[in-house]
Amino acid sequence: MQEKGSISIHTENIFPIIKKFLYSDHEIFLRELVSNAVDATQKLKSLAQLGEFKGELGELKVRVTVDKEARKITISDRGLGMTAEEIKKYINQIAFSGATEFVEQYKEKDASTKDQIIGQFGLGFYSAFMVAEEVEIWSKSYKDDTLTAHWTCDGSTEFTLDEPTGEHAKAERGTDVVLHVAADSDEFLEEARLRTILTKYCKFLPIEIEFEGEVINQTQPIWTKQPSELTDEDYTKFYQELYPLTEPPLFWIHLNVDYPFNLTGILYFPKVKDELQLQRNKIQLYSRQVFITDEVKDVVPEFLMLLHGVLDSPDIPLNVSRSFLQADANVKKINTYVTRKVADKLSELFKKDRAGYEQKWSDIGLFVKYGMLSDEKFYDKAKDFALVQNTAGKYFTLSEYQEFIQANQKDKQEQLVVLYTSDSEAQHAYVAAALDRGYDVLKLDGVLDTHFIGQLEQKLEKVTFKRVDADTVGKLIEKDEATESVLSDEDKTRLQELFAKAINNEHMHVQIEALSPQDSPVIITLPEFMRRMKDMQRTGGGGGMAFMGSLPDSYTVSVNANHAISQRILSADEEAGRKLARQAFDLGLLAQNMLKGEALTAFVKRSADLLTA
């Protein structure tokens, strides 16, 4: 007997809304329907394990087929199946309970709220109507003595439901969902398109998915297994499956927790090198092995998005499209847990194999610094395994380095001064001068190091950082002792005037300093404050100091009063003195790597003229 009915709803607007707004991407229909089929199959397996189903399970595959000529896609399972009464309950009533309220609410809500509302009404099955002009359900319950149930709906609120017998009856338990594909959805009749969707969303479902005679999924991906069952080769092989043509990972973390939330997964540390052009959205989020999204920013702290891998949790709240995460207590707990596990793994590697950890530092250093800068709790843990490297290539933890320079690099205010270079080649003369003085110099040449230095100055007590070219070596770490000048005040004034005239540049400020005779005759520096603000502006962290990026550089030209060349300039006549001063200044520019192009050519010519004079 055929029953005709109307879905309990007081408006004709529900299906157009579903079709247009339920999901941002119509391909999701296949994930929803296959996931439903898998759920029905797993429920039957559970009943069998509990002894509530005593029949033969047989082969439990979900099959997806496409008939392009007949314009049909069929999703079949051998799971629980449904009776006619259950179809009325689960497909008609529950799916649309409160549907009128939904339509009314939707009119007043923005898109994000709409997603949450849809999630309350169990509309996943109805994603089929985004691509189908008519949907049929053929179902036979696992229960004894039940008839085939046949439900048909054309996307309006009308449906038919009957219980065919004889040759039209379904022979085996389970459900077939048949989609009669609409004219505007031809792409979903293409075998290659369906295979791509199935591979994307269903690759790791726990029940075999067969498409056109081929099983397309792994039912037991390695994150569902215990670490004790797996080898390093298993982990690296899985990584290559997820990310073909990439270098092997440095190491990984296998996550497995069932309280106070459920979470499994594997996070891989890729080789990222010292750059910020990193591909994010490489962590794939699953719910019970169904692919959800690679937008995991709510589940994973931003700095951990540099990692690759898989997270799987049934406890992450998702809207009906499973495309946007809703922040709640579980998400925050998972976020905190993942951060702690990553910090614990790094700490363990550092303690167990420091030499190996140091070898990996060039790959993981950017990641660790990014984490320290963006997450206070991570900083607290990472400060014990974050490394710095000096120009001799030796690695130190932060506390080790403070101890290393304690004796020699305190200034007269008892402040510990950390000297560093951002480019050891370009700043070689300054590095050499610092090393000659018995100081140590760090290499801090990464893209985040300007920000990292600022953070360390806030966190470390009585510690300041100065780049080696920020001042003359004697002023980088000011001590109580002072070098006496061999020049009279009158000579200093004349020397300053000669250099000012020779340079003739308002951004170069000449000062005469009593330096060691072994120091360079002219040292050109950009004050630490101005240079740091300009660096911050370039890397996007200038805040209210944006104007600094547009200011011209204002350099200090320190002329060494105690160098022999100063005496020679003073003893020469006015013109010769100016030429010598200009040459000494150009040598300072050359040491600072500031003499290029036309200026370098002019310097070479002047040098030749002086040599032949």
Side-chain angles (χ1 to χ4, degrees):
M1 173 184 168
Q2 187 182 77
E3 176 184 345
K4 291 188 176 182
S6 179
I7 295 168
S8 55
I9 184 170
H10 304 297
T11 176
E12 297 292 327
N13 292 334
I14 187 70
F15 277 105
I17 288 175
I18 289 172
K19 185 155 186 172
K20 187 171 183 182
F21 298 113
L22 180 57
Y23 298 103
S24 56
D25 194 338
H26 286 190
E27 70 179 30
I28 300 297
F29 82 93
L30 194 55
R31 181 187 71 185
E32 294 297 323
L33 297 178
V34 171
S35 297
N36 287 348
V38 167
D39 287 345
T41 307
Q42 286 187 300
K43 285 173 183 173
L44 184 69
K45 286 177 71 177
S46 297
L47 290 177
Q49 289 167 359
L50 293 169
E52 295 181 24
F53 173 66
K54 302 186 187 302
E56 291 292 324
L57 285 173
E59 188 180 50
L60 294 177
K61 284 183 180 176
V62 172
R63 288 182 168 85
V64 179
T65 57
V66 58
D67 184 335
K68 191 171 182 179
E69 286 190 17
R71 300 186 65 81
K72 291 197 298 189
I73 299 170
T74 304
I75 296 94
S76 303
D77 68 68
R78 296 189 69 249
L80 286 173
M82 291 180 285
T83 63
E85 286 302 311
E86 286 170 335
I87 285 180
K88 281 199 283 187
K89 178 180 178 182
Y90 295 118
I91 300 298
N92 295 345
Q93 295 170 17
I94 289 183
F96 280 92
S97 61
T100 303
E101 177 192 359
F102 158 63
V103 174
E104 292 306 312
Q105 288 187 44
Y106 175 71
K107 292 175 182 175
E108 307 299 324
K109 305 294 180 180
D110 62 22
S112 61
T113 309
K114 171 265 296 182
D115 286 328
Q116 296 172 26
I117 294 169
I118 290 175
Q120 298 168 13
F121 297 106
L123 299 176
F125 165 76
Y126 285 90
S127 63
F129 287 101
M130 293 190 300
V131 300
E133 61 186 12
E134 181 179 271
V135 177
E136 293 181 81
I137 299 174
W138 295 82
S139 193
K140 182 175 175 60
S141 172
Y142 75 99
K143 297 171 186 173
D144 294 334
D145 302 321
T146 55
L147 296 174
T148 297
H150 177 223
W151 178 90
T152 306
C153 182
D154 64 1
S156 70
T157 56
E158 305 299 318
F159 70 87
T160 63
L161 179 63
D162 61 352
E163 296 177 312
T165 57
E167 64 182 56
H168 297 295
K170 187 171 169 56
E172 296 181 321
R173 68 160 197 272
T175 301
D176 301 334
V177 178
V178 183
L179 279 61
H180 297 266
V181 177
D184 62 358
S185 298
D186 282 354
E187 64 178 292
F188 298 111
L189 292 169
E190 299 298 331
E191 185 178 325
R193 179 77 170 101
L194 292 179
R195 186 179 298 277
T196 299
I197 299 169
L198 288 168
T199 301
K200 178 178 179 180
Y201 293 105
C202 307
K203 188 176 181 179
F204 299 113
L205 279 172
I207 300 295
E208 287 190 349
I209 312 299
E210 184 181 283
F211 177 61
E212 307 297 279
E214 179 187 349
V215 174
I216 57 92
N217 61 319
Q218 301 174 34
T219 58
Q220 287 188 297
I222 69 170
W223 77 79
T224 64
K225 301 176 182 178
Q226 293 297 317
S228 57
E229 302 174 51
L230 302 167
T231 65
D232 287 357
E233 186 180 353
D234 292 326
Y235 286 107
T236 54
K237 183 181 176 185
F238 183 64
Y239 184 79
Q240 294 297 335
E241 287 177 23
L242 292 176
Y243 314 105
L245 305 177
T246 54
E247 286 188 79
L250 295 166
F251 46 89
W252 49 84
I253 302 171
H254 194 136
L255 304 168
N256 194 342
V257 61
D258 55 17
Y259 182 81
F261 48 82
N262 287 282
L263 176 71
T264 56
I266 300 165
L267 292 178
Y268 291 93
F269 287 71
K271 293 184 177 179
V272 297
K273 297 301 180 189
D274 206 10
E275 56 185 63
L276 276 183
Q277 284 69 40
L278 301 167
Q279 286 187 296
R280 297 169 185 252
N281 300 333
K282 284 289 191 174
I283 296 176
Q284 299 177 6
L285 182 65
Y286 290 75
S287 179
R288 295 186 176 91
Q289 296 172 232
V290 182
F291 175 72
I292 306 301
T293 182
D294 51 15
E295 285 276 356
V296 296
K297 62 183 177 63
D298 294 318
V299 181
V300 172
E302 186 180 356
F303 76 96
L304 289 178
M305 288 173 66
L306 305 184
L307 300 185
H308 295 172
V310 167
L311 293 174
D312 189 334
S313 176
D315 292 330
I316 296 172
L318 303 160
N319 65 13
V320 70
S321 69
R322 300 183 183 176
S323 300
F324 300 95
L325 304 170
Q326 299 164 357
D328 78 341
N330 270 338
V331 168
K332 289 168 187 170
K333 286 176 189 171
I334 290 171
N335 186 303
T336 301
Y337 171 80
V338 172
T339 302
R340 179 166 55 81
K341 291 296 287 184
V342 168
D344 290 348
K345 178 69 173 182
L346 290 166
S347 179
E348 175 194 338
L349 288 168
F350 173 69
K351 290 172 182 173
K352 283 176 66 175
D353 179 14
R354 174 154 179 170
Y357 184 85
E358 288 181 357
Q359 287 177 351
K360 294 181 176 76
W361 184 251
S362 61
D363 290 295
I364 63 174
L366 174 69
F367 161 81
V368 173
K369 290 173 184 175
Y370 189 13
M372 294 172 76
L373 286 165
S374 58
D375 191 296
E376 193 71 24
K377 288 181 180 175
F378 186 80
Y379 175 91
D380 290 339
K381 289 178 176 288
K383 68 180 187 297
D384 296 325
F385 54 74
L387 299 180
V388 290
Q389 185 186 31
N390 68 8
T391 52
K394 182 174 173 57
Y395 286 100
F396 305 82
T397 65
L398 297 175
S399 59
E400 286 170 351
Y401 194 69
Q402 290 176 80
E403 186 64 31
F404 182 68
I405 63 171
Q406 185 79 18
N408 201 32
Q409 290 184 212
K410 273 191 175 178
D411 64 16
K412 58 188 178 183
Q413 275 85 39
E414 291 294 300
Q415 188 99 336
L416 199 60
V417 181
V418 177
L419 302 180
Y420 71 96
T421 173
S422 60
D423 186 333
S424 54
E425 285 297 314
Q427 296 153 16
H428 181 269
Y430 299 90
V431 172
L435 296 177
D436 286 346
R437 189 64 69 97
Y439 298 149
D440 193 72
V441 179
L442 288 181
K443 288 197 297 184
L444 290 172
D445 51 9
V447 291
L448 290 179
D449 281 336
T450 297
H451 303 280
F452 187 54
I453 288 165
Q455 182 185 50
L456 293 181
E457 285 185 325
Q458 289 178 5
K459 297 283 189 181
L460 303 178
E461 205 171 325
K462 297 197 77 173
V463 174
T464 188
F465 284 69
K466 288 187 181 179
R467 204 169 84 176
V468 285
D469 59 346
D471 213 326
T472 59
V473 69
K475 284 188 172 180
L476 285 173
I477 305 176
E478 291 192 273
K479 308 281 188 178
D480 282 327
E481 64 269 14
T483 306
E484 293 295 324
S485 173
V486 299
L487 299 182
S488 65
D489 290 344
E490 185 180 339
D491 285 341
K492 289 179 189 176
T493 301
R494 182 163 177 260
L495 189 62
Q496 195 273 341
E497 290 172 350
L498 282 168
F499 268 93
K501 288 178 182 176
I503 296 168
N504 193 27
N505 185 328
E506 62 179 330
H507 303 303
M508 296 288 175
H509 306 284
V510 179
Q511 58 186 35
I512 310 302
E513 294 196 34
L515 307 177
S516 165
Q518 283 72 47
D519 288 336
S520 298
V522 175
I523 301 169
I524 301 164
T525 56
L526 183 65
E528 180 76 10
F529 171 77
M530 173 169 275
R531 182 202 51 72
R532 197 178 293 191
M533 289 302 102
K534 292 174 80 71
D535 284 350
M536 291 282 282
Q537 177 62 24
R538 276 193 293 272
T539 54
M545 307 300 290
F547 71 93
M548 294 295 294
S550 59
L551 284 179
D553 291 334
S554 181
Y555 291 93
T556 299
V557 180
S558 299
V559 178
N560 188 350
N562 295 334
H563 197 280
I565 201 167
S566 294
Q567 296 284 4
R568 188 176 169 197
I569 291 168
L570 286 168
S571 61
D573 61 39
E574 182 78 12
E575 185 179 351
R578 272 208 312 274
K579 285 183 179 179
L580 283 170
R582 178 69 207 199
Q583 198 69 1
F585 170 71
D586 285 344
L587 283 169
L589 290 174
L590 198 62
Q592 179 73 329
N593 204 32
M594 293 169 63
L595 207 55
K596 297 173 183 176
E598 187 178 336
L600 181 58
T601 302
F603 167 71
V604 172
K605 186 177 186 306
R606 284 196 299 273
S607 299
D609 290 344
L610 280 172
L611 288 170
T612 56

